[in-house]
C-alpha cells in the first residue's frame, strides 16, 4: 500500500512528462509531491525540505541527473538524511547503468515503459528510504547516548566514531590475532592538512560539519569489518586485517585518498575541499610485532611526507627478523 505522506520530488524540464508522473502518483494515493523544472530548483527545494524519493530525468540542461545525484548525496551527508534517487532514462547498456550506480543512483525507470514501471519502483523506493532513514535516526540516538559517556569513553563525541583509546584497543586485538593466527594487520592514518586553516577562517561549527562528513564518507568507503577511529584533532585511523599483502598496498586505499581529496564536502559555508594525506604500515607474523601505540605513532609520524608528496606514504616497521 502506498504511504500518502511519502515526500516525492519530480525533477523534469518537460512539463508534459512531469504532469504524467504527477497524475499517476496522485491516482495511486501519494499526496506530498513537489515538482522542479531544473536540477538547481530541485536542490533549493531539497535543502528547504529534504525529499525521501526523487524522480529525475537523466538528460537535463545545465545539470544532468548524474550531477544532481552527486549534489543530493553531498547535501544528505550534511543533514544525515538519505534520498532514494530514481532516474528516468531512454539510455540502454550495462556500461551506462554501471556508471550511474557508481555515482550513487538507486534505480532507473525506462521512459518507454514508464506507465508500467513507475508505481512498482516508487513502492520499492518507499520501503528502502524508510528503512535507511530509520537506521540513521537510530544511529543518531546511539551516537547521542554514547557521547554522554565521559569516564572510559571509547567514542569520539564529534563524529561518533571510536576515539584514540578505542583504536589502540582494537589495534592491540588485531596484532594479537596476527601473532597467533597469521595474516597481515594494516594500519592507515589519514590527516586533514588544511582543517586547522578552515577552522580558523570559518569557525568550530564548520569544523564539526567537516569532521562528521569525513566520518560518514569513510564509513561508506571501507569494509564493515574495518575499524575506523578519530585519533587526533585532524587525524583518523583505519585498521584492517588481510591475508594477501597486495591488499595492504597504497593502491588498495586509493579510493579513500580520492574520496577525501577529489569530492568536496557540503557545509553551511558552501562546498569545501580538503587536502588529506595518508600513510600506512602493514605488519605480519614473520616480524617482531610492535605494540599498538608504537605502530600508530610510527604511521602518524609519516603524515608530513604524505602531505609533501600528495601520495599515500608506505611505512615499514623496522623490527624485521
Amino acid at each position: 500500500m502506498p504511504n500518502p505522506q511519502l515526500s516525492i520530488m519530480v525533477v523534469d524540464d518537460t512539463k508534459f512528462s512531469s504532469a504524467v508522473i504527477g497524475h499517476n502518483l496522485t491516482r495511486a494515493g501519494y499526496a506530498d509531491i513537489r515538482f522542479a523544472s531544473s536540477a538547481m530548483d530541485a536542490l533549493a527545494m531539497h535543502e528547504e525540505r529534504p525529499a525521501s524519493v526523487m524522480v529525475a530525468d537523466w538528460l537535463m540542461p545545465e545539470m544532468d541527473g548524474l550531477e544532481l545525484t552527486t549534489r543530493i548525496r553531498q547535501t544528505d551527508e550534511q543533514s544525515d538524511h538519505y534520498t532514494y534517487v530514481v532516474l528516468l532514462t531512454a539510455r540502454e547498456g550495462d556500461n551506462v547503468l554501471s556508471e550511474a550506480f557508481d555515482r550513487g543512483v538507486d534505480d532507473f525507470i525506462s521512459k518507454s515503459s514508464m506507465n508500467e514501471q513507475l508505481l512498482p519502483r516508487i513502492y520499492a523506493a518507499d520501503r528502502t528510504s524508510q528503512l535507511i532513514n530509520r537506521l540513521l535516526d537510530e544511529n543518531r540516538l546511539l551516537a547521542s547516548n554514547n557521547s554522554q559517556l565521559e569516564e572510559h569513553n571509547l567514542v569520539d563525541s564529534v563524529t561518533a566514531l571510536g576515539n584514540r583509546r578505542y583504536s589502540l584497543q582494537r589495534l592491540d586485538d588485531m596484532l594479537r590475532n596476527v601473532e597467533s593466527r597469521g595474516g597481515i594487520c594494516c594500519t592507515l592514518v589519514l590527516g586533514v592538512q588544511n582543517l586547522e586553516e578552515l577552522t580558523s577562517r570559518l569557525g568550530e561549527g564548520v569544523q564539526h560539519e567537516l569532521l562528521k562528513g569525513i566520518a560518514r564518507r569513510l564509513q561508506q568507503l571501507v569494509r564493515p569489518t574495518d575499524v575506523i577511529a578519530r585519533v587526533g584533532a585532524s587525524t583518523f585511523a583505519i585498521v584492517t586485517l588481510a591475508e594477501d599483502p597486495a591488499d595492504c598496498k597504497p593502491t588498495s586505499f586509493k579510493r579513500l585518498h580520492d574520496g577525501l581529496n577529489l569530492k568536496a564536502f557540503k557545509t553551511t559555508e558552501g562546498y569545501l575541499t580538503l587536502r588529506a594525506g595518508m600513510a600506512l604500515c602493514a605488519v605480519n607474523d614473520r616480524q617482531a610485532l610492535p605494540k599498538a601505540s608504537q605502530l600508530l605513532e610510527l604511521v602518524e609520524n609519516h603524515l608530513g611526507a604524505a602531505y609533501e608528496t600528495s601520495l599515500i606514504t608506505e611505512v615499514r616497521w623496522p623490527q624485521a627478523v
Side-chain angles (χ1 to χ4, degrees), residues 25-282:
L25 292 176
T26 301
R27 285 183 58 190
Y30 291 105
D32 186 1
I33 308 169
R34 290 175 289 166
F35 298 90
S37 59
S38 71
M40 293 306 297
D41 288 344
L43 288 170
M45 295 166 63
H46 187 72
E47 289 199 14
E48 182 178 340
R49 180 167 66 92
S52 296
V53 177
M54 181 171 291
V55 181
D57 192 7
W58 185 321
L59 298 178
M60 294 183 290
E62 297 184 2
M63 183 188 301
D64 65 13
L66 294 186
E67 179 60 23
L68 173 61
T69 302
T70 298
R71 296 283 294 274
I72 289 295
R73 294 287 172 252
Q74 291 170 324
T75 300
D76 283 354
E77 275 184 359
Q78 182 194 13
S79 60
D80 240 3
H81 173 81
Y82 191 84
T83 303
Y84 193 99
V85 179
V86 184
L87 290 189
L88 301 170
T89 179
R91 305 179 69 178
E92 302 291 344
D94 291 340
N95 291 339
V96 172
L97 300 185
S98 295
E99 177 194 359
F101 281 128
D102 286 342
R103 296 281 290 273
V105 175
D106 293 295
D107 203 356
F108 300 90
I109 295 175
S110 173
K111 287 188 174 182
S112 61
S113 306
M114 187 170 65
N115 288 336
E116 294 81 15
Q117 294 182 5
L118 177 63
L119 292 181
R121 293 287 202 270
I122 295 298
Y123 295 155
D126 185 5
R127 291 194 298 270
T128 302
S129 65
Q130 283 193 64
L131 174 61
I132 294 176
N133 282 303
R134 184 167 63 248
L135 291 174
L136 288 172
D137 288 340
E138 292 173 355
N139 186 61
R140 278 195 296 270
L141 178 61
L142 179 62
S144 176
N145 292 336
N146 284 341
S147 66
Q148 296 175 19
L149 299 175
E150 295 296 336
E151 189 175 0
H152 306 301
N153 187 19
L154 299 177
V155 178
D156 176 61
S157 60
V158 176
T159 64
L161 296 175
N163 59 17
R164 189 178 188 89
R165 184 185 296 113
Y166 170 80
S167 71
L168 289 172
Q169 287 185 8
R170 294 300 306 276
L171 179 54
D172 185 62
D173 291 341
M174 291 187 176
L175 289 171
R176 284 191 277 111
N177 185 289
V178 167
E179 187 174 36
S180 61
R181 300 184 182 182
I184 304 167
C185 176
C186 184
T187 301
L188 177 74
V189 175
L190 309 88
V192 184
Q193 186 178 8
N194 61 334
L195 184 62
E196 184 177 349
E197 181 269 326
L198 290 172
T199 302
S200 176
R201 180 161 55 88
L202 301 174
E204 191 175 88
V206 171
Q207 179 201 59
H208 286 186
E209 291 178 47
L210 289 170
L211 289 170
K212 291 175 183 178
I214 293 168
R216 287 192 291 268
R217 193 167 293 180
L218 290 177
Q219 288 173 313
Q220 295 172 356
L221 292 171
V222 303
R223 301 178 306 178
T225 55
D226 293 342
V227 174
I228 313 176
R230 183 185 175 206
V231 295
S234 59
T235 54
F236 295 78
I238 297 174
V239 185
T240 183
L241 291 175
E243 296 293 333
D244 188 345
D247 293 336
C248 294
K249 294 295 183 182
T251 52
S252 304
F253 298 98
K254 186 175 183 296
R255 68 187 186 282
L256 298 179
H257 191 273
D258 291 348
L260 295 185
N261 284 288
L262 301 183
K263 186 179 177 184
F265 288 80
K266 188 178 187 304
T267 72
T268 53
E269 294 293 334
Y271 289 90
L272 300 178
T273 301
L274 300 183
R275 295 195 305 274
M278 302 186 187
L280 67 87
C281 182

Side-chain angles (χ1 to χ4, degrees), residues 272-293:
L272 300 178
T273 301
L274 300 183
R275 295 195 305 274
M278 302 186 187
L280 67 87
C281 182
V283 295
N284 56 53
D285 61 333
R286 296 188 298 275
Q287 300 171 277
L289 293 175
K291 294 180 180 179
S293 58

